[in-house]
């Protein structure tokens, strides 16, 4: 089983590179942001709750997020492994993921950090907001998402370094170059 955590700030390319990783390694893709946006679309109770956090650029509470993730993991049929996109985002979530995987005799294989300067993140997300209209891609909410990332999520870099899984990738530049760096990093941890 290959379990990859793709990690980085909002707009760093997690979703974009996940698609390529899924294609190459045949993994399941769990994007917690996509899961939440799907719930919002259906108008479920969970969706309504999620929307109030997402619109504010804040994280959904850990306990709820871990339950959602655990249910997604339980429902997988493809046993090749998973790419976790947008999860974990707090140390508590990272600890929960480790426990969930260890219970199955598995672990995270590699944590791939996509590093992109904030100026570029802002440019990418403003552009996507204009093109696709994702509700949280406006300047005010992006700024909040970046603050939350720096305060709550960035400390996971050290957490995964201590766990021996962290791989640094320069996420600025050509998609193909970034992807080949990711493949080299994954292969080095397999
Ligand atoms: P989520 O959906 O995960 O959003 P995010 O982390 O803010 O990241 P994005 O999806 O915006 O960016 P990305 O890194 O996937 O980049 P992408 O490939 O799209 O989460 C949304 C919200 O849900 C959170 O704010 C939170 O409220 C909640 N949530 C989700 N998970 C949670 C959790 N675990 N716990 C609590 N709450 C949670 O690329 C961005 C753009 O850049 C695209 O237009 C793309 O085409 C372009 N691009 C990509 N790569 C390049 C490149 N190399 N050069 C130029 N442009 C590029
Ligand atoms: Mg994404």
């Amino acid at each position: 089983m290959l379990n990859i955590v793709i990690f980085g700030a909002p707009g760093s390319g997690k979703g974009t590179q996940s698609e390529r990783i899924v294609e190459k390694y045949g993994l399941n893709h769990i994007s917690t942001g996509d899961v939440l946006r799907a719930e919002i679309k259906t108008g479920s109770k969970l969706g309504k709750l999620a929307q109030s956090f997402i619109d504010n650029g804040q994280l959904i509470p850990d306990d709820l997020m871990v339950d959602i993730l655990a249910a997604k993991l339980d429902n997988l049929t493809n046993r090749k492994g998973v790419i976790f996109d947008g999860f974990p985002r707090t140390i508590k979530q990272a600890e929960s993921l480790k426990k969930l995987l260890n219970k199955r005799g598995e672990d995270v294989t590699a944590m791939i950090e996509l590093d992109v300067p904030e100026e570029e993140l802002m440019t990418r997300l403003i552009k996507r907001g204009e093109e696709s209209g994702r509700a949280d891609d406006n300047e005010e909410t992006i700024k909040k998402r970046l603050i939350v990332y720096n305060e709550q999520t960035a400390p996971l870099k050290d957490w995964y370094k201590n766990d021996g899984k962290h791989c640094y990738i320069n996420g600025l530049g050509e998609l193909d170059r970034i992807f080949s760096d990711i493949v080299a990093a994954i292969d080095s941890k397999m």
Side-chain angles (χ1 to χ4, degrees):
M1 295 284 282
L2 190 57
N3 294 307
I4 309 295
V5 170
I6 188 128
F7 181 90
S12 57
K14 301 184 293 294
T16 305
Q17 296 294 337
S18 286
E19 282 179 26
R20 296 175 169 223
I21 297 168
V22 164
E23 198 179 318
K24 178 168 171 71
Y25 295 96
L27 303 180
N28 301 282
H29 180 203
I30 301 182
S31 156
T32 43
D34 287 349
V35 171
L36 297 170
R37 280 184 291 276
E39 288 291 334
I40 291 174
K41 246 191 181 163
T42 66
S44 66
K45 204 174 143 200
L46 171 60
K48 290 202 173 85
L49 181 72
Q51 184 156 29
S52 63
F53 288 99
I54 291 178
D55 285 353
N56 253 317
Q58 304 301 311
L59 298 182
I60 273 70
D62 283 333
D63 290 344
L64 179 59
M65 207 61 239
V66 169
D67 286 349
I68 294 170
L69 196 271
K72 285 279 155 197
L73 264 185
D74 280 342
N75 285 335
L76 296 180
T77 45
N78 164 358
R79 307 293 302 155
K80 279 191 176 167
V82 180
I83 177 143
F84 297 93
D85 165 3
F87 188 100
R89 267 174 143 94
T90 62
I91 290 185
K92 202 166 166 215
Q93 290 182 16
E95 288 166 351
S96 299
L97 179 61
K98 194 171 177 75
K99 271 192 213 139
L100 279 171
L101 291 174
N102 286 175
K103 256 199 296 189
R104 298 156 179 260
E106 298 172 33
D107 202 347
V108 167
T109 312
M111 184 270 217
I112 306 291
E113 178 202 347
L114 298 174
D115 182 39
V116 177
E118 282 203 3
E119 239 183 57
E120 166 75 5
L121 297 170
M122 189 53 94
T123 308
R124 288 184 191 178
L125 293 178
I126 296 271
K127 183 163 170 247
R128 189 178 62 187
E130 286 164 1
E131 286 165 358
S132 81
R134 214 175 101 173
D136 57 348
D137 285 344
N138 60 77
E139 192 171 345
E140 196 194 337
T141 312
I142 296 165
K143 280 186 183 153
K144 289 186 192 162
R145 287 157 67 194
L146 290 173
I147 291 171
V148 167
Y149 170 78
N150 287 322
E151 287 179 354
Q152 301 188 48
T153 306
L156 284 176
K157 294 178 211 172
D158 281 338
W159 195 91
Y160 277 106
K161 277 177 197 164
N162 287 331
D163 208 26
K165 314 292 186 196
H166 177 264
C167 306
Y168 174 89
I169 305 286
N170 173 8
L172 186 63
E174 285 291 316
L175 294 181
D176 286 346
R177 194 272 305 153
I178 296 167
F179 181 62
S180 65
D181 286 358
I182 292 173
V183 169
I186 293 175
D187 291 351
S188 78
K189 297 281 187 191
M190 277 167 79

